[in-house]
Amino acid sequence: MLSPEIIASQIPHVLKGTNFTNLGNYYEGKVRDNYTQGDKRILVTTDRLSAFDSIIALIPFKGQVLNAMTKFWFEKTKDICPNYIMEYPDPNVIVGKECKPIMVEMIVRGYITGSTTTSAWYNYEKGVRNFCGNELPDGMIKNQRLPMPIITPTTKAAHGEHDKNITPAEIVSTGLLSQEDWNKLSHYALALYMRGVEIAAANGVILVDTKYEFGKTADGEIVVIDEIHTPDSSRYWIAETYADRMKEGKEPDNINKEFLRLWLSNQGYMGEGEMPAIPEEIIVETTQKYIQAFELITGQEFKGEEGDPLPRITKNLESYSI
Ligand SMILES: Nc1ncnc2c1ncn2[C@@H]1O[C@H](COP(=O)(O)OP(=O)(O)O)[C@@H](O)[C@H]1O
Ligand SMILES: [Mg+2]
């Protein structure tokens, strides 16, 4: 684990964003700067932290941690599902095949949990027993393991709108996907999840649920895109304490990315009005939470590249200049 001193000394070098003019068409995502050129997409994972629908802070090493985690998982799953990755030219950067996104989000759940209106537990508690085409047994309790993992797809909503639950039958009948493509996607999604569960379990972690995005390459091949199994797309619990906490009626120990959002909530900030200043030690602690998550989940030590990232990234992306 990087020392608090090293993390603090990286604060002046946080990666807020990039504005390369030689890398293609620019799209600024919440966290990643995207450049597209023909059939290639360059994704620069910045240190931006988004919460309350805006960027609330810059967290040293966050981009590198998330990029390293994405790399870890794509490497560990490429034998069971093709992905869009072409290269990792820099600790903050992925270069991949530009794809036509498939407008269905593939959510896989091994446990019944969640609190949002699309979550399994929210619906189950309301009496739903057929959830996105999956029959659920009576008598389940919150956070219980499902008899087997289920796929609960949603539509991919336009910006500012909410994703909606959908059944596989509806996906096919509305022409979102052919039956053949649905079969392929569901096969890939389950295989990815099972691999994730297995590797996480070996490190004492439960991969509770997760979301996959798929796309079609220029050749028409279906591949998994974006990122997989990072705390942004996935829920993780600590395995060791799960059973005891369930018995005691407590929530599982969550490896969460919500540390800073919770800190702000505790200061009375809910996203409205002026945000309280975030002390340096809270920024450092936020980085530590990300690194801890990486090290716990992957079982590997995080090695960060210190110093100003922009000149390094510029150099590492020279060969992509157009
Ligand atoms: N291979 C790909 N082809 C096309 N789009 C992709 C690919 N991989 C990721 N994306 C898209 O690129 C964006 C990544 O940047 P991100 O910061 O996550 O943006 P957002 O705020 O839209 O989530 C996402 O919109 C994601 O869907
Ligand atoms: Mg995203």
Side-chain angles (χ1 to χ4, degrees):
M1 169 66 96
L2 296 179
S3 70
E5 292 73 30
I6 288 184
I7 296 170
S9 71
Q10 188 66 15
I11 290 177
H13 303 305
V14 283
L15 184 61
K16 180 164 194 250
T18 60
N19 58 353
F20 297 115
T21 51
N22 60 333
L23 292 181
N25 292 324
Y26 179 66
Y27 159 75
E28 184 181 312
K30 287 187 290 287
V31 171
R32 284 171 288 175
D33 287 352
N34 294 248
Y35 298 87
T36 50
Q37 38 175 279
D39 53 7
K40 255 191 222 121
R41 173 175 290 240
I42 300 166
L43 297 101
V44 183
T45 308
T46 70
D47 292 328
R48 300 193 287 264
L49 188 153
S50 106
F52 308 111
D53 284 326
S54 61
I55 303 303
I56 57 169
L58 297 168
I59 304 299
F61 296 111
K62 173 177 180 276
Q64 289 189 45
V65 173
L66 288 180
N67 213 53
M69 198 164 331
T70 299
K71 179 176 178 183
F72 173 86
W73 282 115
F74 276 133
E75 291 285 318
K76 294 278 188 206
T77 55
K78 63 185 179 195
D79 61 319
I80 49 170
C81 176
N83 61 54
Y84 75 113
I85 303 290
M86 297 163 71
E87 247 197 309
Y88 303 94
D90 179 273
N92 285 89
V93 184
I94 282 171
V95 177
K97 294 176 192 157
E98 172 69 357
C99 295
K100 193 166 168 286
I102 290 174
M103 297 314 278
V104 174
E105 306 224 328
M106 297 295 279
I107 299 163
V108 184
R109 305 172 188 274
Y111 294 74
I112 188 158
T113 187
S115 55
T116 61
T117 54
T118 49
S119 76
W121 177 248
Y122 177 91
N123 284 277
Y124 189 84
E125 218 188 0
K126 292 242 172 312
V128 173
R129 290 294 177 272
N130 185 314
F131 186 53
C132 303
N134 302 282
E135 293 295 337
L136 301 175
D138 280 326
M140 291 199 74
I141 59 170
K142 188 173 183 218
N143 302 327
Q144 195 179 340
R145 188 175 173 172
L146 288 157
M148 60 177 68
I150 58 173
I151 303 176
T152 66
T154 68
T155 58
K156 210 179 258 188
H159 273 288
E161 280 167 47
H162 291 291
D163 297 345
K164 283 199 195 70
N165 288 326
I166 189 167
T167 65
E170 287 165 338
I171 289 173
V172 174
S173 69
T174 56
L176 270 172
L177 283 175
S178 68
Q179 183 68 48
E180 191 192 342
D181 282 356
W182 165 260
N183 293 349
K184 207 176 261 181
L185 249 62
S186 48
H187 168 82
Y188 282 153
L190 280 176
L192 288 168
Y193 177 73
M194 297 306 285
R195 178 65 60 81
V197 165
E198 185 192 315
I199 291 171
N203 296 322
V205 174
I206 298 173
L207 175 58
V208 180
D209 48 37
T210 188
K211 175 212 74 176
Y212 303 106
E213 291 184 38
F214 290 88
K216 273 193 184 171
T217 66
D219 305 333
E221 191 193 6
I222 290 182
V223 297
V224 58
I225 63 170
D226 206 46
E227 53 93 342
I228 63 168
H229 300 174
T230 77
D232 286 339
S233 60
S234 314
R235 190 186 325 252
Y236 286 99
W237 293 335
I238 302 292
E240 199 187 355
T241 55
Y242 170 74
D244 282 348
R245 293 185 70 92
M246 282 294 278
K247 264 189 231 135
E248 293 162 18
K250 292 185 184 150
E251 284 292 307
D253 282 320
N254 198 352
I255 303 179
N256 73 36
K257 52 158 191 143
E258 305 274 74
F259 175 74
L260 191 56
R261 197 183 61 77
L262 288 173
W263 183 85
L264 284 166
S265 302
N266 289 338
Q267 313 295 307
Y269 181 73
M270 299 295 169
E272 306 281 316
E274 203 181 323
M275 192 172 75
I278 305 169
E280 182 175 302
E281 74 230 40
I282 297 299
I283 297 285
V284 170
E285 215 174 327
T286 305
T287 297
Q288 288 175 313
K289 297 285 178 195
Y290 274 95
I291 296 177
Q292 267 164 13
F294 174 88
E295 296 190 341
L296 258 176
I297 292 164
T298 67
Q300 294 181 354
E301 190 189 349
F302 172 72
K303 297 193 183 73
E305 287 265 352
E306 294 168 49
D308 188 357
L310 264 179
R312 188 195 70 222
I313 295 172
T314 306
K315 187 161 176 297
N316 285 336
L317 290 181
E318 246 163 27
S319 63
Y320 295 97
S321 184
I322 47 173

